Amino acid sequence: MIRALLLTGTLMLAGCSLAPKTVLPTPPVPQSWPAGDAYLLQSEAALPILSYKSVFTDPRLQSLTEQALANNRDLRTAYANVAAARAQVRVTRSGQFPELGVSAGADYSDGGSTNGAGDFSLRGGITSFELDLFGKLANATEADRNRALGTEAASRTVRLALIANLADAWATYGADRDLLKIAEDTAANARESVRLTKARLDGGVAPRTDLRQAEQILATAEDSIARQRTALAQDENLIRLLAGGDVDRALLPASLAEVTPTIVSLPAGVSSEILLRRPDVIEAEYGLRAANANIGVARAQLFPSISLTGLLGFASNALGSLFDSGSFSWSAGGDATATIFDAGGRRAGVAVSEAQRDAALAGYEGAIQTAFREVADALAVQGTISERVRAASANSAAAADTATLTDARYKGGVDSFLSSLDAQRSLYAARRSEIATQLLLVSTRIALFRALGGDSSAGSQTGAP
């Protein structure tokens, strides 16, 4: 009965934890996104459960994304870090259980004139076991478990960034294809302008300055062609890096016009609490929980440490009688250690862990606020980008008409060649600006996908450690 009571008391003490209860703060952001003309709040809209396939609908981009998720080295590194963190949890948790060991020995001596004699032994038992009376080991395990879950959330951040970066690179490739075509068209027109101006110079109608100005336009366009070819090669290099290997060029878009309709716009009318699903916010939350558990570890250090050892085995001076009943022996023991004076070191350790918990709390709240700002910024652009695209398109059309009319007036002798050159420069700038604005439209949709936490299947490495 006494043994049973002692065992029950020990088990009750072993379940004791000195860690404070983790209380998550109210998210330090408004309950809805900012409203106004720039945000186009849709009160009836609800954000669906997202996956990258529901946002990036082009099969070519989906195929590249699947290749990247399988082969990207940064993602492999992140998943390896998750595996290491989970293994560390098992390492720490093993300290809560007895460590069993076995040893065997043999000793033989021969005195010369006497028969030789041997001693043989076989021992096994508990080599070390600390009673977790105040939850030190349990809280250490809990801290490592939360750190492992935070590492998993970090891997989801890497995965989300990979998907968004690949979509951005894919869209940029399409935009650079358009810019290359604009440069090639401009160069073709400039060559024709040089040919006509040279003919006018030879006929005594135009001055040499007109020819030189036309040649400048041509040289500028040819320089732009070289730059855009370099940009396309660099785009391919980036896509290849993100995909983790060579990619089929048939999977790349021929123009930005192929990209824009396949990147779905996301609704804005959704509670800001959706940010609690962002992997970086989840990582910060687990960091807070781990810091909280570390307080329990530090507090347990203030109390005595009790360790138990036990040994049982066989010993014999004859190998044949090693397992006889008379050869059996056992022993048990225990140690208790308590620090009497450490100049306040352990209490300072508690203060350190509490300060780290406060820092983790501030980091958690800061992660939520940063996430809110990123989403709000993306929504602000999304609320006005359609008007900017319309204006850029109208400007490009007007510049094209102006260039046509000015060229006709120059050929008719009404305007100078300088007016025609200015019109061509304006048309070139307007067309490039239109492509840049259309790319911003696509990039904003991708940014909003990333800012809202993105892919709901991002936690592919799931399972509690």
Side-chain angles (χ1 to χ4, degrees):
M1 178 64 70
I2 294 177
R3 291 181 179 178
L5 291 174
L6 290 174
L7 180 60
T8 301
T10 299
L11 292 176
M12 291 176 64
L13 286 173
C16 176
S17 174
L18 299 178
K21 182 180 179 181
T22 301
V23 179
L24 297 179
T26 302
V29 293
Q31 293 304 304
S32 62
W33 304 119
D37 293 339
Y39 296 95
L40 300 181
L41 182 66
Q42 303 174 21
S43 60
E44 299 300 324
L47 189 68
I49 299 297
L50 297 179
S51 74
Y52 72 85
K53 291 185 178 180
S54 68
V55 178
F56 310 132
T57 60
D58 193 297
R60 295 173 296 177
L61 179 55
Q62 291 180 1
S63 178
L64 284 173
T65 302
E66 291 170 359
Q67 179 181 344
L69 293 177
N71 299 318
N72 182 266
R73 270 42 178 193
D74 289 339
L75 193 57
R76 289 184 180 180
T77 300
Y79 287 162
N81 290 337
V82 173
R86 289 179 173 179
Q88 182 59 49
V89 175
R90 295 195 294 271
V91 171
T92 305
R93 187 170 181 267
S94 67
Q96 296 179 248
F97 299 92
E99 182 178 327
L100 304 178
V102 63
S103 64
D107 181 34
Y108 183 82
S109 61
D110 188 349
S113 60
T114 61
N115 294 329
D119 291 320
F120 306 93
S121 63
L122 178 64
R123 297 181 178 85
I126 300 174
T127 58
S128 65
F129 176 46
E130 179 179 350
L131 292 178
D132 196 17
L133 300 180
F134 305 102
K136 180 180 70 174
L137 301 178
N139 282 315
T141 300
E142 182 66 16
D144 276 349
R145 179 180 289 110
N146 282 294
R147 277 190 285 267
L149 291 171
T151 303
E152 182 183 348
S155 75
R156 293 169 57 187
T157 300
V158 174
R159 187 181 192 272
L160 175 62
L162 171 62
I163 295 172
N165 289 340
L166 181 59
D168 263 327
W170 192 72
T172 301
Y173 180 89
D176 283 337
R177 287 285 294 267
D178 285 337
L179 293 175
L180 176 60
K181 186 177 186 307
I182 291 172
E184 290 173 341
D185 290 345
T186 302
N189 291 335
R191 290 190 188 96
E192 181 64 14
S193 180
V194 168
R195 186 187 68 80
L196 293 176
T197 305
K198 188 175 186 304
R200 290 169 64 87
L201 174 64
D202 293 340
V205 178
R208 184 175 294 276
T209 55
D210 286 359
L211 177 61
R212 293 308 184 196
Q213 289 172 334
E215 289 173 343
Q216 285 180 327
I217 292 292
L218 176 59
T220 301
E222 289 175 340
D223 178 72
S224 295
I225 290 174
R227 288 174 181 271
Q228 288 308 131
R229 287 174 177 169
T230 298
L232 280 173
Q234 292 173 338
D235 292 341
E236 286 190 53
N237 292 337
L238 177 57
I239 293 173
R240 189 179 298 111
L241 173 65
L242 294 173
D246 290 334
V247 299
D248 185 354
R249 299 190 69 179
L251 299 178
L252 302 178
S255 68
L256 189 57
E258 293 183 2
V259 175
T260 304
T262 67
I263 308 294
V264 176
S265 179
L266 301 177
V270 61
S271 169
S272 59
E273 290 183 355
I274 192 69
L275 296 179
L276 297 178
R277 293 192 312 170
R278 274 181 44 137
D280 59 335
V281 175
I282 294 174
E283 181 183 3
E285 177 179 333
Y286 282 122
L288 173 59
R289 294 181 182 275
N292 205 64
N294 281 333
I295 295 177
V297 176
R299 287 177 177 174
Q301 297 284 1
L302 300 174
F303 295 89
S305 175
I306 301 177
S307 300
L308 300 179
T309 58
L311 184 66
L312 57 85
F314 297 87
S316 174
N317 58 5
L319 184 60
S321 60
L322 179 63
F323 295 99
D324 290 346
S325 60
S327 301
F328 178 78
S329 63
W330 66 273
S331 65
D335 294 302
T337 59
T339 303
I340 298 176
F341 176 75
D342 65 352
R346 288 175 299 160
R347 292 191 179 278
V350 176
V352 168
S353 62
E354 290 175 343
Q356 290 173 339
R357 188 269 315 277
D358 293 341
L361 175 60
Y364 174 69
E365 294 177 332
I368 295 177
Q369 291 176 330
T370 299
F372 182 88
R373 182 265 175 100
E374 291 176 357
V375 175
D377 284 351
L379 292 177
V381 177
Q382 180 173 274
T384 57
I385 191 63
S386 59
E387 181 63 22
R388 294 176 62 181
V389 170
R390 187 204 62 77
S393 178
N395 182 45
S396 183
D401 193 35
T402 299
T404 301
L405 295 174
T406 305
D407 186 60
R409 289 170 63 84
Y410 164 69
K411 292 177 180 178
V414 177
D415 274 345
S416 67
F417 186 61
L418 182 60
S419 298
S420 178
L421 290 180
D422 286 340
Q424 292 180 38
R425 292 191 184 99
S426 297
L427 174 59
Y428 179 69
R431 293 182 67 185
R432 288 180 62 89
S433 177
E434 182 181 8
I435 295 300
T437 305
Q438 291 175 345
L439 180 60
L440 177 60
L441 167 66
V442 174
S443 298
T444 299
R445 294 175 180 177
I446 297 172
L448 187 55
F449 166 81
R450 185 204 298 254
L452 286 176
D455 192 9
S456 63
S457 62
S460 59
Q461 300 287 311
T462 56

